[in-house]
Amino acid sequence: MKKRVVVTGVGLVTPLGNELEVVWKRLLAGESGITPVEMPGIEMYRSRIAGQCLDFSPLPYVEPKDVKKIERFAQFALVSGIHAVEQSGIDFSREDPFRCASIIGCGVGGLREIERQDEKLASSGPSRISPFTIPKVMLNAASSHLAIRYGIHGPSYGVATACASANNAMIDAYKAIRDGDVDIVLTGGTEAAISKLGLAGFGAMRALSERNDEPEKASRPFDVDRDGFVLGEGAGILVFEELEHAKKRGADILGEFIGYGVTTDALHLTQPDDQGIFAGEAMKAALRSAGISAGEVDYINAHGTATHLGDAAEVEAIKRVFGDSAKNLSVSSTKSSIGHLLGGSGGVEIIFTLLALRDNIVPPTLNLGNPDEGFDLDFTPLTPKEKRINCAISNSFGFGGHNASVAVASFVD
Amino acid sequence: MTRAEVEEKVIKIISEQLGREADAITGSSDISNDLGADSLDAAELMIAFEEEFDIDIDEESSQNFTTVDGVVDQIFKQLS
């Protein structure tokens, strides 16, 4: 028999802060976390703005001597994970460690450390390369650091499907509990790729917004004047737990993970199918898997990165899948506020979606003054919208053609 | 540079890398057993010593690096 999977704790690190309720309040207030990037030579870059976690410190959660051994993306995951576990009230010393898991998505791993060590290699030669280089840059380090922290001896691994990484990680976490393999999974995603190569690489693809003079207005999903995504960083980590296990502990349940859909474009590595055929199939599969109809979905936290093609394909896909019921649907892209967290995005966005369910309020899409032609959905422009939300979908689509939609619902016993 | 100066710098580096109070580190402290360095910490320390003193420490010499005194003696010898 399939087990039910609920969320009993969440934690995040975002450009709007690192405390859940503070971040949520700022998001609903329409605040932007996008700021100018300061680094040597920044004037040469096409995109010079980002959603940076400027208030983040790994202390006191990571010991000072260990800070330099753990790369920023893994620090984000560790601190978010600690907050999530604290909220869940789980005491891992009382759990069967083989029935606990850690499955964390990350798109690119330790890009900044690769740059630092490459500079060292060029200036001082191979004998001066830090022995911590490889264990720092590997993207699976995020899941391992959480496993070490809590003595988790069940499965732990990293999931890499670019910007869909967190959703794919959560889907694996869901299946592991549903199928009875484990009771608890720390899952979600993390990323810290605001770096020379990150900005230059995505910039070279013309994927990034170049609205450098107006950082707060740069991330404009679905708007006619959108010009690419704003690179962001951060993490969203959740505690997924088997329902009966959570009830036995008397845990507070934030929501239920009810289904998922995964497809692949298999057309082009970076360019989405312009009709969003396969993105749409992922949403359809999520509805089937969750056992719900299109009309039952109240809110979609869109992938909505603000690229020309990506947004258009997602709108097409939503309109096709939801048909007549699309008019009752609220859609928003919270990337308008914090930028695109790549492998961290799905983790943070499912947390926002769960808070939307909890508080019955749809977070807004900032900077959406003029929806593009044919974009006739309710994108919740500029201000949040109060609305009864029982059921929601969060989309993440990644370079590589990866489409992953996940469905959550208010918990009803 | 005197041996005492070398020792002071070595202890400072070890203290920072391993997160130990400098006062708790003595000449006879064993870097792995007493101070808790694992193999990667030891390799990182080697690089830090090389950079601080602008020397190259070969594999053979690094075998003497079990205690703080061993490190200080080797570096002092290479600097003299």
Side-chain angles (χ1 to χ4, degrees):
Chain A
M1 190 177 125
K2 289 182 180 178
K3 312 277 192 188
R4 292 173 71 183
V5 179
V6 293
V7 178
T8 54
V10 299
L12 41 68
V13 170
T14 78
L16 287 178
N18 316 316
E19 296 295 333
L20 185 70
E21 300 303 336
V22 172
V23 172
W24 182 231
K25 196 178 277 184
R26 295 186 67 188
L27 187 78
L28 295 179
E31 292 187 44
S32 169
I34 312 300
T35 52
V37 175
E38 291 177 20
M39 66 180 191
I42 187 67
E43 68 282 354
M44 295 185 293
Y45 290 72
R46 305 182 70 93
S47 180
R48 303 188 285 276
I49 49 177
Q52 305 167 91
C53 298
L54 299 172
D55 295 336
F56 175 78
S57 167
L59 306 174
Y61 305 99
V62 180
E63 283 190 50
K65 73 178 171 65
D66 292 329
V67 168
K68 67 177 174 16
K69 301 180 188 175
I70 304 176
E71 181 57 348
R72 188 169 170 87
F73 76 91
Q75 292 178 4
F76 286 169
L78 197 45
V79 171
S80 306
I82 288 168
H83 286 149
V85 170
E86 280 173 0
Q87 190 186 49
S88 77
I90 288 171
D91 175 356
F92 279 91
S93 70
R94 300 173 63 151
E95 301 294 335
D96 177 347
F98 295 99
R99 294 194 59 80
C100 299
S102 164
I103 305 174
I104 308 295
C106 182
V108 296
L111 208 52
R112 291 153 67 111
E113 178 69 3
I114 290 172
E115 291 173 10
R116 279 192 290 268
Q117 295 301 326
D118 188 56
E119 281 168 24
K120 193 90 183 168
L121 189 66
S123 67
S124 309
S127 65
R128 295 290 162 85
I129 293 301
S130 168
F132 298 111
T133 307
I134 301 300
K136 278 181 80 171
V137 305
M138 57 190 203
L139 62 87
N140 51 311
S143 68
S144 297
H145 283 297
L146 281 166
I148 291 166
R149 169 70 56 138
Y150 292 112
I152 289 169
H153 291 294
S156 91
Y157 54 91
V159 174
T161 50
C163 308
S165 298
N167 274 11
N168 279 117
M170 292 190 288
I171 290 164
D172 277 14
Y174 166 72
K175 290 195 280 191
I177 295 173
R178 179 197 67 184
D179 296 347
D181 295 339
V182 295
D183 299 317
I184 296 166
V185 189
L186 303 184
T187 187
T190 186
E191 202 80 76
I194 301 172
S195 70
K196 290 182 289 188
L197 280 172
L199 284 170
F202 285 115
M205 298 173 79
R206 305 292 193 277
L208 298 180
S209 170
E210 297 175 22
R211 197 181 288 265
N212 295 307
D213 297 334
E214 298 176 294
E216 298 189 352
K217 296 197 167 86
S219 184
R220 10 189 0 110
F222 309 117
D223 190 80
V224 69
D225 293 324
R226 68 192 183 280
D227 73 329
F229 71 83
V230 174
L231 194 54
E233 64 174 359
I237 304 293
L238 303 89
V239 177
F240 278 18
E241 190 168 354
E242 193 272 319
L243 173 60
E244 296 306 319
H245 188 278
K247 278 161 73 174
K248 207 177 289 177
R249 293 193 306 113
D252 287 336
I253 292 172
L254 192 55
E256 180 170 4
F257 192 103
I258 57 172
Y260 66 93
V262 180
T263 65
T264 303
D265 279 4
L267 292 170
H268 188 280
L269 206 60
T270 57
Q271 192 172 310
D273 167 49
D274 62 3
Q275 295 299 303
I277 300 285
F278 306 97
E281 289 300 319
M283 285 184 259
K284 273 195 219 167
L287 296 176
R288 271 199 308 275
S289 154
I292 55 174
S293 66
E296 289 177 83
V297 177
D298 304 301
Y299 170 53
I300 295 180
N301 185 299
H303 183 56
T305 63
T307 62
H308 283 285
L309 292 176
D311 283 10
E314 187 172 15
V315 171
E316 279 302 310
I318 291 172
K319 285 164 72 170
R320 197 172 50 253
V321 171
F322 288 85
D324 285 344
S325 48
K327 63 179 183 297
N328 301 319
L329 186 64
S330 289
V331 178
S332 69
S333 170
T334 45
K335 290 185 178 79
S336 58
S337 181
I338 59 172
H340 187 359
L341 276 50
L342 309 178
S345 62
V348 170
E349 288 162 16
I350 197 72
I351 292 173
F352 290 159
T353 305
L354 288 162
L355 294 174
L357 285 167
R358 182 192 71 180
D359 295 348
N360 291 304
I361 190 159
V362 181
T365 304
L366 304 190
N367 302 317
L368 180 50
N370 298 298
D372 205 348
E373 195 184 335
F375 286 21
D376 51 357
L377 296 168
D378 177 4
F379 293 106
T380 327
L382 311 179
T383 53
K385 179 177 178 176
E386 286 184 30
K387 173 181 179 169
R388 179 77 199 156
I389 308 173
N390 292 315
C391 195
I393 279 182
S394 177
N395 285 334
S396 286
F397 311 130
F399 284 165
H402 311 290
N403 307 306
S405 297
V406 298
V408 290
S410 304
F411 173 67
V412 180
D413 203 354
Chain B
M1 196 179 294
T2 66
R3 190 186 181 286
E5 285 167 342
V6 172
E7 182 176 34
E8 190 184 334
K9 285 187 175 180
V10 164
I11 287 178
K12 184 165 179 283
I13 289 169
I14 295 175
S15 159
E16 284 168 3
Q17 298 267 355
L18 302 181
R20 298 272 172 167
E21 293 291 328
D23 295 346
I25 303 171
T26 67
S28 62
S29 298
D30 185 298
I31 293 170
S32 66
N33 294 332
D34 297 333
L35 303 178
D38 62 19
S39 62
L40 297 187
D41 290 322
E44 179 88 339
L45 279 173
M46 197 77 63
I47 293 168
F49 297 144
E50 289 182 328
E51 292 192 336
E52 175 66 32
F53 297 103
D54 196 19
I55 53 172
D56 286 317
I57 300 167
D58 60 39
E59 282 294 319
E60 203 180 326
S61 310
S62 70
Q63 302 302 316
N64 301 326
F65 282 16
T66 40
T67 63
V68 174
D69 274 342
V71 173
V72 174
D73 288 341
Q74 178 63 34
I75 292 171
F76 186 60
K77 193 170 95 187
Q78 285 190 228
L79 289 176
S80 305

